[in-house]
């Protein structure tokens, strides 16, 4: 399959899109055409294992660039590390509400679903094509740990992760900084996630630097992240929907960088009978304001109990704009240039009505997040992490009364956010791999939110 940039200036194949991450014109890669899944195919996929389903969905995107047996091995190796044989099991919680548990991978977060596969794919490409792999990424907490665990000690790969200093949970920090492998560099940036993300974007936009140092992307700017996450929307649908394969199932998605919810949107473009995507945010609610009012404009950053959603500028939003504006790369370029100059994207009229047909959105306050954790623990005996709690609180507000079946994405294990759980007066038992973290030494370098300081660290690391 051919991939194109959202800004229209680049076309390439699957592996090249994977290696480039961010297109050289500053856009993000999307498929030149979205493969369609028929109703008969959906019915035939229903009984497949997660790994078998992954292969069915990925095949048209990969094309003939990876031999079938090689792809099978990559998928098998990637998901053999998960604690659940289902990989992403679905749990019924209350009438009409299901939770899709995405936290059964090595770092107890949904990012493992994509990054275990991407880590193995990077190793495969490095070995097969002799490619040098220097991965750089920004994280609000979970991406960094999952990416590092996906490539630690892999030959031919080095990885540098930027995280906001003091603005991730202690477990997230330890999962990143307690891995002392020589191919890992952790930079703790004095700033917030948007500062980290901006530095990474600027490095990838510097085509000469990117090429000279073989920079590769691990954030959801990389389309392979999106592709891998698309699979669990189909998997959850098959677990919840009736046999007709026409029942519309809603999804409530805790949303920060727009990658996870865009994966669901892509699944619907492919033919998944998804209903409404409920975009759940916290008090950093730029996306809620866009869906409800048509105004996308960053405001004051707020620190919350759901730090992975403490984001004002969502990188993957550009992919949605591409489809919203009829796959017109020139239009997206104009919109993104205006946003860079004016700090505003606006939608009105028919455009806003289309947005509201695709998504509903609700912003959950810190207090409501904690109250939802306490309520579901008491009434249903199910402990939610604060991000999942935002998704469930949004469901309660928007879909609970007669809205049909809804799957809420559980994006992390509650043990990763014990600060919030403790605020609820709940004492939880840590899984052994997390409990062991406190006895491990840490290694990280603290830097200012300054691209030049980051470059100096990278040049020394890449030697």
């Amino acid at each position: 399959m051919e991939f194109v940039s959202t800004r229209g200036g680049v076309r390439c194949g699957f592996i090249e899109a994977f290696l480039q991450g961010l297109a050289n014109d500053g856009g993000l890669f999307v498929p030149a055409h979205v493969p369609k899944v028929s109703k008969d195919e959906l019915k035939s996929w229903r009984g497949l294992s997660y790994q078998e389903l992954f292969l069915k969905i990925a095949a048209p995107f990969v094309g003939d660039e990876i031999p079938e047996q090689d792809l099978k091995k990559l998928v098998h190796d990637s998901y053999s590390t998960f604690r659940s044989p289902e990989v992403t099991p679905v749990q019924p919680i209350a009438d009409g509400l299901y939770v899709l548990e995405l936290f059964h991978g090595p770092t107890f977060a949904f990012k493992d679903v994509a990054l275990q596969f991407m880590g193995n794919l990077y190793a495969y490409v490095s070995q097969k094509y002799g490619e040098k792999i220097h991965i750089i990424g920004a994280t609000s907490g979970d991406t960094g740990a999952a990416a590092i665990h996906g490539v630690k000690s892999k030959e031919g790969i080095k990885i540098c992760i930027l995280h906001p200093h003091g603005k991730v949970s202690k477990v997230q920090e330890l999962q990143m900084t307690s891995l002392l492998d020589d191919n890992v560099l952790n930079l703790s940036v004095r700033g917030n996630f948007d500062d980290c993300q901006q530095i990474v974007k600027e490095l990838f936009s510097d085509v000469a630097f990117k090429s000279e140092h073989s920079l590769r992307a691990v954030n959801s700017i990389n389309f392979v992240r999106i592709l891998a996450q698309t699979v669990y929307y189909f998997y959850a649908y098959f677990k919840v929907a009736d046999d007709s394969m026409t029942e519309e199932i809603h999804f409530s998605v805790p949303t920060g960088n727009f990658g996870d919810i865009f994966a669901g949107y892509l699944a619907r473009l492919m033919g998944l009978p998804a209903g409404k995507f409920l975009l759940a945010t916290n008090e950093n609610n730029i996306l809620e304001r866009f869906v409800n009012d048509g105004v996308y404009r960053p405001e004051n950053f707020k620190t919350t109990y759901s730090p992975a959603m403490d984001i004002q500028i969502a990188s993957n939003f550009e992919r949605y704009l591409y489809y919203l504006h009829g796959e017109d790369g020139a239009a997206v370029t104009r919109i993104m240039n205006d946003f860079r100059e004016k700090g505003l994207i606006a939608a009105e009229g028919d455009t806003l009505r289309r947005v509201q047909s695709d998504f509903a959105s609700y912003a959950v306050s810190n207090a409501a997040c904690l109250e939802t954790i306490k309520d579901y623990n008491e009434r249903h005996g199910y402990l939610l992490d604060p991000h999942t709690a935002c998704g469930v609180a949004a469901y309660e507000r928007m879909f609970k009364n007669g809205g049909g079946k809804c799957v809420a994405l559980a994006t992390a294990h509650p043990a990763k956010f014990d600060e919030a759980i403790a605020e609820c007066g709940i004492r939880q038992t840590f899984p052994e791999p997390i409990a062991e973290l406190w006895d491990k030494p840490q290694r990280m370098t603290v830097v200012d939110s300054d691209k030049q300081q980051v470059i100096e660290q990278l040049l020394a690391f890449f030697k």
Side-chain angles (χ1 to χ4, degrees), residues 147-178:
I148 291 169
H149 278 261
V151 301
K152 61 178 182 176
S153 297
K154 280 186 165 62
E155 187 176 347
I157 299 176
K158 289 186 175 183
I159 182 168
C160 172
I161 296 294
L162 284 66
H163 73 267
H165 186 62
K167 293 185 175 68
V168 300
S169 78
K170 190 60 180 177
V171 169
Q172 289 174 317
E173 179 186 296
L174 286 166
Q175 284 183 323
M176 290 184 283
T177 61
S178 64

Side-chain angles (χ1 to χ4, degrees), residues 153-281:
S153 297
K154 280 186 165 62
E155 187 176 347
I157 299 176
K158 289 186 175 183
I159 182 168
C160 172
I161 296 294
L162 284 66
H163 73 267
H165 186 62
K167 293 185 175 68
V168 300
S169 78
K170 190 60 180 177
V171 169
Q172 289 174 317
E173 179 186 296
L174 286 166
Q175 284 183 323
M176 290 184 283
T177 61
S178 64
L179 290 175
L180 307 183
D181 303 72
D182 289 339
N183 71 327
V184 174
L185 173 65
N186 280 291
L187 297 181
S188 185
V189 178
R190 295 186 183 97
N192 58 39
F193 170 75
D194 290 323
D195 297 322
C196 298
Q197 181 169 254
Q198 183 60 32
I199 291 172
V200 170
K201 278 188 163 183
E202 288 178 10
L203 291 173
F204 274 93
S205 296
D206 184 337
V207 176
F209 185 86
K210 172 184 173 182
S211 176
E212 180 183 356
H213 298 287
S214 304
L215 296 191
R216 310 303 182 195
V218 74
N219 286 84
S220 51
I221 59 173
N222 195 311
F223 180 78
V224 175
R225 271 276 300 270
I226 304 297
L227 174 60
Q229 290 170 193
T230 299
V231 177
Y232 50 67
Y233 283 93
F234 282 91
Y235 190 79
Y237 182 88
F238 295 143
K239 295 294 182 182
V240 171
D242 61 30
D243 292 336
S244 70
M245 292 292 105
T246 59
E247 182 182 15
E248 289 193 347
I249 305 298
H250 305 305
F251 290 88
S252 183
V253 188
T255 305
N257 218 15
F258 207 81
D260 208 6
I261 200 165
F262 181 80
Y265 177 80
L266 177 63
R268 185 164 61 190
L269 291 180
M270 292 176 68
L272 183 72
K276 191 81 80 172
F277 288 99
L278 177 51
L279 194 160
T281 71

Side-chain angles (χ1 to χ4, degrees), residues 45-59 68 71-89 113 116-117 228 231-232 234-235 238-239:
W45 288 1
R46 183 162 197 165
L48 297 180
S49 70
Y50 192 90
Q51 293 87 337
E52 291 168 335
L53 182 60
F54 189 108
L55 289 167
K56 292 287 188 183
I57 292 169
E68 183 180 358
L71 186 59
K72 281 184 178 180
K73 185 177 188 310
L74 285 169
V75 172
H76 176 269
D77 291 349
S78 299
Y79 298 110
S80 63
T81 60
F82 281 63
R83 290 177 297 281
S84 169
E86 291 187 80
V87 183
T88 62
V113 179
Q116 282 293 302
F117 176 72
V231 177
Y232 50 67
F234 282 91
Y235 190 79
F238 295 143
K239 295 294 182 182

Side-chain angles (χ1 to χ4, degrees), residues 285 287-296 346-348 352 356:
N285 65 331
L287 292 167
E288 184 216 23
R289 286 181 276 114
F290 179 78
V291 172
N292 293 336
D293 304 322
V295 177
Y296 182 89
E348 56 188 11
L352 180 56
Q356 293 171 343

Side-chain angles (χ1 to χ4, degrees), residues 262 265 269 290 317-328 331-332 335 345-348 350-359:
F262 181 80
Y265 177 80
L269 291 180
F290 179 78
F317 187 59
E318 182 172 333
R319 282 191 168 107
Y320 176 64
L321 291 174
Y322 177 78
Y323 291 101
L324 180 64
H325 291 277
E327 302 180 35
D328 184 344
V332 173
I335 291 167
I345 297 173
E348 56 188 11
D350 289 343
T351 302
L352 180 56
R353 283 188 282 275
R354 181 177 169 189
V355 172
Q356 293 171 343
S357 72
D358 290 331
F359 303 102

